[in-house]
Amino acid sequence: MPDQQQLLHTLKEYFGYDSFRPLQQEIIDSVFDKKDNLVIMPTGGGKSICYQLPALLLPGVTLVISPLIALMKDQVDGLMANGIQAAYINSSQTENEQQEIYQKLINKEIKLLYIAPESLSFLDTILSQITISLIAIDEAHCISAWGHDFRPAYTQLGYLKNRFPETPVIALTATADKATRQDICEQLNIKDATQHLASFDRKNLSLEVRPGNKRIEQIIDFLQNKPNDSGIIYCLSRKTTETLVEKLQNQGFNAEAYHAGIDHAKRSKVQEGFINDTVQIVCATIAFGMGIDKSNVRWVIHYNLPKNIEGYYQEIGRAGRDGIPSSTLLFHSYADVVQLQKFANMSGNQEVQLAKLDRMKQYADSLSCRRKILLSYFGELIEDNCGNCDVCKNPPTFINGTIIAQKVLSTVVRCKEQEPIGTIIDVLRGAQNAAVYDKEYQKIKTYGIGNDIAWRDWQQYIIQLINQGYLEIAFHQNNKLKLTSLSRKVLFEGEKVSLAHLKEFEKVKQVAIEQIDKGAAPNLFEKLRQLRLELAKEAGIPAYQIFSDASLKEMEKFRPVNDDEFMQISGVGRKKMQNYGYQFIKAIIDFSAEKTKKKRKTSTKKGNTYKETLALYKEGLSIEEITVKRKLAQSTIFSHIMKLYEDGEEIDLKQFVSKEDIKSVRQAKEELDNPDTLKSYFDHFEQAIDYNTIKLALTILEEKDT
Ligand code: ADP
Ligand code: ZN
């Protein structure tokens, strides 16, 4: 069994992380103990490492059962980018492709094999020729009919334990409820599995609920200070996604719709664009997001109220998997509640659905810490208020709302409990419209007594009254407002009512505008993000698989300028250092140099790292010698030399590269027909010639041509 140091070393080398997240190490230890394990962690909690890291250190293959073919490729690409030998088998491959993988398996060239449960039978013949060290079952809740996305093929997985009784099984899911948990263990034949239940608290997600008025305006405001951030807007209907997209596009936003009515090809294109950072905003029905591993989703908006807290938490959970602060915003409207109630009434298990909807509504209406409510729903109690929800950030102050309540209640009485919220507000505000005139409400005593309060605020006050039990909505009677036993106390027995003071929407706007100005300054993060995007396009993988936003943020903060420093960045493992270190370090140095250049106008004293390198070069030192002398990485010195050369300094590049290498690069250039990326050369040479040398050779060749 590997010791802790060995585990940490592997974690850094392959995944670039310095420490384990909560529970990861104890789960990994338990895997090495050959125990069966059930891991319950929220989305973004870091489940994958729990089997990927053991897979690296175990002698044979780790079999990963995963339900989504679309996701497999992504996961395998991600692993390969970290220098881990992984492959997947599914029905989209040709027989030849599969044969190739089988051969690799037999040759022990694969550490992790991803497979959909439906495809397991393909493996039958070679299972006896390879050693399976660990079986990981991802999205394990799919096995349970109790869960929310049951998959019949999962139910066959129980046989794995019978066939490989000695091989530890690790089942992983983000679905917490007890019934499902038990069901998973029973069906997988791992009844003695150790259960690891992680906290569901995702502290980096801010929680906010706003009234659903002028939603488009509010969304546009919200987006103003997130110019490049990826996000998802969930809508209840297909139609809403489309109208919303149109409006956002008209405002210049890069948004696309995604729902089940759009044809498959177009849908894949949108999903692909989102993953690859070329589509910034996706307006989607709930069908979107399942199986998307994109770690840099920076915000999630719910245009409509979700039908239950499970769904809501899963959807907001798609934001900020990389642990960086991310925003979530939920619009709350009574029209949605009514709509959802109708759906619930039409469903098979009406009572459960209505009860779940009720919990959702309580969350949205809450005047106390929202995270407490969310977590208590999942059976987790936190003592302190979270400080990262709108209620914590802006705790309500209470006003004496007795007169407001009396005005509302007496209007309800005078309208004979026959009107919904909207008409009651119209009467209070003295509106001159058909709803009022048709029934001659302009004649009743309370008509117009509330025109000092805005329509939206009346709505909020009435919702508060409903939540406090002073009124109720008769959903089965066109949502008419009805009195309750408590309303009589207010009307006739002098009961005092306390209401939360409503906050000014304008203030929220102000803050947003200030933030835009701040965001406008060009920063290093943005440069690194651009570089990442270019490299991702070149390599044909999603940008977040090159480095996460979290890694870029660290680079921005610590500005590593040599290989050692670069390796210190969280998310930088050995392979990524080799593949991308040079470009990122160069970008950081260039950025600093640009800044220094600007500064130099006012102060000429400061030395320049390039000049120091130039001076040493002129003394006749080789790159290696300069590297030692300056205590910088060779790639850094190299980038200095290239920059000095580009700036017109007299430098003879030929001394840094052998004639053979120049020759090889020239040949490759012809064979590859002038490819425009260094990576094409790098791959062509099967990584035998490094990026620096290729770049040098190309520069020399170009010079010759001109
Ligand atoms: P899950 O499968 O639970 O949704 P992932 O395994 O995809 O979560 O991990 C979520 C994110 O957290 C990924 O970007 C992953 O690389 C990162 N991560 C996992 N473990 C660690 C760790 N120990 N330190 C830093 N980041 C980590
Ligand atoms: Zn809170």
Side-chain angles (χ1 to χ4, degrees):
M1 188 159 146
D3 60 23
Q4 197 199 7
Q5 210 180 350
Q6 215 174 338
L7 293 180
L8 283 173
H9 179 75
T10 312
L11 182 70
K12 180 63 198 167
E13 282 292 302
Y14 285 94
F15 302 95
Y17 302 131
D18 297 311
S19 58
F20 286 108
R21 291 232 182 113
L23 293 190
Q24 283 178 334
Q25 175 149 15
E26 64 176 80
I27 294 165
I28 291 169
D29 285 345
S30 176
V31 168
F32 280 112
D33 250 354
K34 296 200 102 187
K35 287 195 186 124
D36 295 324
N37 293 282
L38 173 63
V39 174
I40 298 136
M41 267 189 199
T43 309
K47 287 187 279 297
S48 326
I49 299 269
C50 300
Y51 57 87
Q52 289 172 349
L53 193 142
L56 288 167
L57 298 172
L58 288 165
V61 180
T62 291
L63 202 57
V64 186
I65 316 288
S66 168
L68 293 157
I69 292 182
L71 190 57
M72 269 177 212
K73 183 177 176 308
D74 237 35
Q75 284 168 324
V76 168
D77 283 347
L79 287 165
M80 302 279 271
N82 278 328
I84 299 168
Q85 294 308 317
Y88 61 88
I89 295 222
N90 67 37
S91 48
S92 74
Q93 290 160 318
T94 63
E95 205 158 308
N96 273 347
E97 284 170 327
Q98 290 182 356
Q99 278 306 329
E100 214 171 287
I101 293 165
Y102 297 153
Q103 199 50 52
K104 279 192 179 164
L105 280 169
I106 293 166
N107 296 348
K108 302 194 169 153
E109 287 166 2
I110 288 175
K111 287 269 91 180
L112 286 117
L113 180 69
Y114 284 75
I115 189 157
E118 292 85 352
S119 313
L120 260 179
S121 55
F122 296 173
L123 276 187
D124 245 20
T125 44
I126 65 150
L127 276 181
S128 49
Q129 297 173 61
I130 58 178
T131 312
I132 309 250
S133 291
L134 174 65
I135 298 170
I137 298 177
D138 205 4
E139 312 286 353
H141 60 277
C142 292
I143 202 171
S144 172
W146 298 105
H148 49 88
D149 25 63
F150 173 59
R151 293 199 146 215
Y154 259 66
T155 52
Q156 298 156 26
L157 295 178
Y159 95 93
L160 284 170
K161 190 71 202 175
N162 295 338
R163 168 133 191 207
F164 303 101
E166 296 301 316
T167 309
V169 170
I170 175 169
L172 310 101
T173 173
T175 298
D177 78 274
K178 254 191 177 161
T180 312
R181 254 185 267 165
Q182 213 166 357
D183 208 19
I184 293 172
C185 291
E186 268 167 33
Q187 296 211 45
L188 288 177
N189 285 324
I190 50 166
K191 282 190 202 121
D192 298 326
T194 313
Q195 296 201 8
H196 308 266
L197 179 60
S199 165
F200 269 58
D201 193 359
R202 296 275 313 276
K203 293 187 174 61
N204 63 319
L205 301 184
S206 71
L207 306 170
E208 183 176 0
V209 180
R210 289 192 205 166
N213 301 73
K214 297 192 179 157
R215 280 178 261 202
I216 307 261
E217 228 172 78
Q218 294 199 58
I219 290 175
I220 290 168
D221 264 353
F222 176 91
L223 293 177
Q224 295 296 353
N225 62 25
K226 302 183 169 24
N228 298 308
D229 292 351
S230 301
I232 309 173
I233 306 179
Y234 286 108
C235 308
L236 204 54
S237 75
R238 296 175 183 184
K239 178 112 188 42
T240 316
T241 62
E242 281 171 6
T243 46
L244 187 55
V245 162
E246 202 186 315
K247 286 184 180 149
L248 290 174
Q249 284 178 348
N250 288 342
Q251 294 283 330
F253 289 101
N254 173 1
E256 296 289 343
Y258 184 104
H259 59 71
I262 295 174
D263 74 72
H264 186 74
K266 166 85 184 154
R267 255 187 339 200
S268 311
K269 218 174 130 214
V270 171
Q271 173 156 330
E272 201 92 315
F274 186 65
I275 290 174
N276 292 327
D277 284 359
T278 54
V279 171
Q280 188 205 343
I281 301 167
V282 174
C283 301
T285 51
I286 43 163
F288 183 75
M290 161 102 172
I292 290 190
D293 241 353
K294 185 177 163 71
S295 69
N296 62 336
V297 177
R298 291 270 71 88
W299 53 267
V300 167
I301 293 179
H302 282 86
Y303 191 91
N304 300 101
L305 193 77
K307 60 177 191 277
N308 55 46
I309 288 187
E310 285 97 332
Y312 169 67
Y313 203 56
Q314 192 174 43
E315 282 154 14
I316 63 171
R318 290 178 186 138
R321 277 162 172 259
D322 51 15
I324 292 188
S326 307
S327 317
T328 77
L329 170 60
L330 163 68
F331 287 112
H332 181 21
S333 95
Y334 263 76
D336 290 346
V337 176
V338 172
Q339 181 76 20
L340 290 168
Q341 259 160 349
K342 276 190 197 146
F343 289 156
N345 284 327
M346 287 186 297
S347 76
N349 53 349
Q350 181 184 13
E351 255 169 60
V352 177
Q353 303 272 0
L354 284 174
K356 289 195 169 191
L357 176 60
D358 215 41
R359 297 289 295 269
M360 188 66 230
K361 203 164 73 61
Q362 280 166 13
Y363 168 81
D365 285 331
S366 174
L367 295 174
S368 62
C369 176
R370 294 194 203 276
R371 200 172 312 265
K372 273 193 168 170
I373 301 182
L374 273 185
L375 291 173
S376 80
Y377 185 83
F378 294 109
E380 202 174 319
L381 300 175
I382 49 169
E383 267 178 26
D384 296 323
N385 289 337
C386 78
N388 196 18
C389 73
D390 55 338
V391 184
C392 283
K393 283 180 191 158
N394 222 340
T397 46
F398 289 89
I399 55 167
N400 180 346
T402 312
I403 294 183
I404 290 175
Q406 285 168 348
K407 285 180 180 173
V408 175
L409 296 178
S410 62
T411 305
V412 172
V413 173
R414 282 163 218 273
C415 293
K416 305 201 165 59
E417 299 180 75
Q418 290 302 307
E419 299 300 337
I421 296 183
T423 310
I424 298 294
I425 299 175
D426 282 347
V427 173
L428 282 162
R429 288 190 33 85
Q432 301 172 5
N433 60 22
V436 170
Y437 287 132
D438 284 354
K439 294 187 182 160
E440 302 202 318
Y441 288 145
Q442 76 276 19
K443 292 187 181 156
I444 65 179
K445 209 175 146 201
T446 53
Y447 179 73
I449 56 166
N451 59 10
D452 56 328
I453 292 177
W455 207 96
R456 203 176 61 91
D457 290 353
W458 271 120
Q459 190 187 27
Q460 292 308 304
Y461 286 135
I462 295 178
I463 289 169
Q464 289 188 37
L465 290 172
I466 296 168
N467 289 331
Q468 293 187 42
Y470 292 112
L471 278 171
E472 59 189 20
I473 300 183
F475 288 108
H476 50 289
Q477 293 175 37
N478 298 324
N479 312 309
K480 290 171 185 170
L481 280 181
K482 302 278 177 189
L483 300 178
T484 67
S485 54
L486 285 183
S487 17
R488 292 170 218 289
K489 287 194 178 162
V490 177
L491 284 172
F492 309 116
E493 295 166 25
E495 171 147 320
K496 292 220 159 52
V497 177
S498 171
L499 291 171
H501 178 66
L502 299 174
K503 281 161 212 124
E504 301 264 335
F505 181 47
E506 292 307 315
K507 273 190 204 146
V508 179
K509 254 188 180 167
Q510 195 60 40
V511 176
I513 290 165
E514 276 164 20
Q515 281 173 353
I516 310 168
D517 291 344
K518 250 196 272 161
N523 55 27
L524 177 55
F525 178 79
E526 198 37 46
K527 291 226 151 164
L528 298 176
R529 218 180 64 86
Q530 279 306 325
L531 172 61
R532 178 178 70 176
L533 192 61
E534 281 161 29
L535 293 171
K537 277 190 187 151
E538 219 171 79
I541 57 175
Y544 68 86
Q545 279 187 354
I546 300 217
F547 288 121
S548 70
D549 280 13
S551 298
L552 297 193
K553 285 251 149 90
E554 274 205 5
M555 289 178 206
E556 182 183 41
K557 190 166 164 206
F558 297 112
R559 313 227 164 166
V561 291
N562 58 47
D563 293 4
D564 285 346
E565 288 173 15
F566 197 70
M567 258 312 259
Q568 306 281 316
I569 300 292
S570 172
V572 178
R574 185 72 52 198
K575 180 81 175 183
K576 288 196 176 164
M577 164 77 216
Q578 286 164 353
N579 279 353
Y580 308 118
Y582 165 67
Q583 279 117 314
F584 280 86
I585 291 173
K586 182 169 184 311
I588 291 165
I589 291 174
D590 285 353
F591 182 83
S592 312
E594 239 166 68
K595 283 241 156 138
T596 332
K597 228 190 260 167
K598 279 184 199 145
K599 265 195 205 151
R600 220 183 294 142
K601 283 184 187 151
T602 46
S603 124
T604 47
K605 269 186 216 152
K606 255 201 164 170
N608 176 324
T609 181
Y610 291 98
K611 282 209 176 129
E612 276 177 47
T613 301
L614 183 62
L616 293 170
Y617 170 77
K618 286 194 169 157
E619 280 173 30
L621 272 64
S622 70
I623 284 204
E624 285 77 13
E625 286 163 333
I626 302 175
T627 304
V628 174
K629 191 133 197 176
R630 294 218 51 202
K631 297 199 183 85
L632 290 173
Q634 193 161 325
S635 60
T636 311
I637 300 300
F638 171 79
S639 75
H640 289 179
I641 296 284
M642 286 305 284
K643 175 96 172 83
L644 289 163
Y645 175 82
E646 281 160 14
D647 286 353
E649 293 291 345
E650 251 179 60
I651 286 173
D652 178 20
L653 295 180
K654 284 200 207 86
Q655 60 180 298
F656 302 121
V657 49
S658 72
K659 282 200 176 125
E660 289 77 55
D661 283 347
I662 297 184
K663 205 171 139 202
S664 309
V665 171
R666 185 191 304 122
Q667 267 172 5
K669 192 172 174 184
E670 279 162 19
E671 273 170 43
L672 298 170
D673 196 17
N674 266 329
D676 49 8
T677 62
L678 289 180
K679 184 160 188 305
S680 320
Y681 289 95
F682 192 59
D683 290 345
H684 177 80
F685 297 125
E686 295 187 336
Q687 318 189 353
I689 302 184
D690 63 38
Y691 276 106
N692 294 349
T693 310
I694 297 169
K695 182 142 194 230
L696 262 172
L698 283 171
T699 314
I700 293 166
L701 288 170
E702 253 162 48
E703 196 170 67
K704 272 192 189 158
D705 289 347
T706 51

